[in-house]
Amino acid sequence: MEAITLFFLCLASLSHAYDQELLEKGELRKACSRRGNAIQPVRRVNSTTRLIELRNLMSSEVRLGTIPIDAYLVTSSDEHQSVEVDEFERRREYISGFSGSYGDAIITMDKAALWTDGRYHLQADEQIDCNWLLMREGHKNIPTRSHWLKTHFPNGARLGVNPKLVSEYTWNQFKQELNNSKIELIALNVSLVDEIWPKEERGQMRTKDAFVLDIKYTGKNYSTKLEEVRRQVKKAGAEAMVVTALDEIAWLLNIRGRDTPFSPFVRSYLFLDMDNIFMYVNASQLVTNEVLRYLHAESSFRHYDTVQLRNYSDIWPDLRTKSQRYKKILVPSHCVYSEGASHAIYEHIFPSRRLPKQSPIIYLKAVKNSVEIEGMKMANIKDAAAMCDFFAYIEKQMSTGRVFTEAILADILDAFRYEQNQSLGNSFRTIVGFGPNSAQPHYIPTKNTNSRIFNNGTLVIESGGQYYEGTTDVTRTLHFGKPDDLMTEAYTRVLVGQMTFNSLTFPNNMKMAHVDVLARGPLWEMGLDYLHESGHGIGSFLGVKESPISVQYDLEVSNRQTFKPGYFLTNGPGYYKEGYFGVRLQNILEVIEKPWLEHTSGHKYLGFKVISLVPYQLKLIKLSLLSTHQRRWLNRYNEEIRQEVGAELKRQNKMEGFYWMMENTKYIPENGIPRTPLANSLLVLGGFIIRMIVVN
């Protein structure tokens, strides 16, 4: 018997080692065995023809305008290095079939490889066909793009890149990592994916009308912001600055648009010096809504805040000219989610005139003023009212036997949110995943995967809205039947991690990465984890993901940044059991000062205030795992929901939503509860972190 057991253990060990080897090579793929003819996942896109056409271009000197290339890099970005791009710009999705927001593809003459992070591992494996290797970032020993290229081309190669679609940061990263190899970076004047992408299959470039965001929402006029930016540019040692990020332009000028999905941006560039500001844009988008008048663009007299308009494409010749006029031009460099300017922007400015620095607008924008802070709170109250009304409606309909699918739920929630005053729709595509689909952190239902909602699994809903007052992002997990012990255990540990994160008081020199261990601690106790960050910054009627805030313990930039009062961020731990269920809970937090506390070394103390006010599902909480302190926190949170969201639901006469909210924010017993091992260990962990910070 012992021999048989030992045999199976050895067999399992060998199988694990083999899977690990395939994982590191990118060959661990679903339904891609070399033996047999497995049924392909329904979401999978056939990329064979597209890859053949692309490879033909890679070998054509005529089409390239240079000698053939051996490999080609396709990024997720547009010219502005945006996180979310419109359908016209989704080149990586077209060539690979993978639709997630993050990932890079490298195509050679005989291989194609995709890199993406833990949010999209399952989704990518479903969507890309067997022509592709899948490099699952976050797992051990996964090769970087450069390492993979050096292994694949030991004798050297030419790597083609579109310089407008890759940041200077990424370009330099490749250059440094390939320094000791014979692999050469080649800037191409043609986008190869554009060449093979049929017009009838490609989305249209958006050119929606822009509009002005009133000062009652922004708290500052653009003239004041412009002077603040100019002071920072001068302080950095430059005379001028080029602004390429769309969220920075929207914030600086107090204008919004619809040129990117879910984010209210206008496709444009800015160039400013101490006396002038030039905007490179399709001017027809500024005619309606009196944007031209607001920017003084039609004024016959030029002032320090007069926005001078140029054609969008004129940025390229103008940069050549302007770089001769100034000793130093600040050119944005990488900062967390902000990639900085493209390699093409850098190349159009003389090297001696460049001053690569993180954009000062990033930090000015991240600290919300008092008007924006109140706006963010109001946006989240209205958003919570929409969520409560939606949950009430769904539960009532399901009790009558109505059948819902993931896609139908997403559409209904979007409609409920859009009914709110000053709502401009979603801040990202609504994520609704049931059962096994809920184990994919950024799952989006499609026609082929759209699951029916039953009462035997968890339902994860992550959604957010864009309001004139602010941007929202909230995640809740529900169960419409009786959850099993594993589900309640996972849900409660995720909740405890979130509550512990929320409750932290800390000195203002603490690095962002340190707080991540509080969110993950309850899962780490069970040997569990999740392969995504625990939090990110969020804008005020801007992008749902905003620099410089990122909370992840093993991320270098997260170990350099600190929190500031007025920052807003998400707190979203999760647990995902592939093929079974997922749990995720996410709130938005405001960073606040605690002036009544004083650090012994003179540092100020900060804390977090939760502004997402959507009830948790009580039947998913295993109360035996909660300490008295955690129960008290939950009761206080529910009381705030009843007061703030309850008043809003009554004001809107959404009484079904109100009664649902009251039912789901019931008081839970606090006293006489013994401290659990989970609570004890978290107290020890929190104390250890604070001691480390104080010592440092």
Side-chain angles (χ1 to χ4, degrees), residues 378 380-386 388-389 613-615 637-663 665:
M378 189 65 239
N380 278 273
I381 288 172
K382 291 196 294 186
D383 205 65
C388 290
D389 202 28
L613 298 173
V614 180
Y637 179 69
N638 284 339
E639 176 61 26
E640 187 174 5
I641 293 174
R642 289 194 292 271
Q643 291 179 4
E644 300 287 350
V645 183
E648 182 65 19
L649 285 164
K650 284 183 177 179
R651 189 188 67 78
Q652 296 183 24
N653 198 29
K654 304 283 189 182
M655 297 314 295
E656 288 190 357
F658 174 81
Y659 293 128
W660 180 92
M661 178 274 298
M662 293 296 289
E663 178 67 22
T665 56

Side-chain angles (χ1 to χ4, degrees), residues 473-520:
D473 182 356
V474 64
T475 308
R476 289 295 181 264
T477 300
L478 301 99
H479 197 294
F480 294 110
K482 185 177 180 181
D484 63 32
D485 286 342
L486 182 57
M487 292 174 182
T488 56
E489 173 94 9
Y491 184 97
T492 307
R493 287 183 175 275
V494 170
L495 174 60
V496 169
Q498 189 181 60
M499 287 192 292
T500 310
F501 185 128
N502 294 343
S503 305
L504 184 65
T505 297
F506 55 94
N508 63 355
N509 64 333
M510 185 191 77
K511 305 303 181 187
M512 290 179 183
H514 293 168
V515 73
D516 191 23
V517 300
L518 298 180
R520 297 177 190 267

Side-chain angles (χ1 to χ4, degrees), residues 458-483:
T458 60
L459 176 70
V460 174
I461 300 179
E462 180 176 359
S463 64
Q466 292 285 10
Y467 301 84
Y468 286 132
E469 298 98 332
T471 302
T472 69
D473 182 356
V474 64
T475 308
R476 289 295 181 264
T477 300
L478 301 99
H479 197 294
F480 294 110
K482 185 177 180 181

Side-chain angles (χ1 to χ4, degrees), residues 52-70 109 158 186 188 190 192 195-196:
I52 290 171
E53 291 175 347
L54 186 75
R55 286 167 176 149
N56 288 338
L57 287 181
M58 290 166 59
S59 60
S60 172
E61 291 188 31
V62 175
R63 302 294 289 276
L64 292 176
T66 182
I67 61 177
I69 56 175
D70 304 289
M109 286 301 180
R158 288 164 55 84
I186 306 298
L188 299 176
V190 60
L192 301 190
E195 293 289 305
I196 66 170

Side-chain angles (χ1 to χ4, degrees), residues 666-680:
K666 286 181 177 180
Y667 177 85
I668 60 173
E670 295 175 3
N671 299 320
I673 308 299
R675 183 178 288 171
T676 65
L678 175 58
N680 278 324

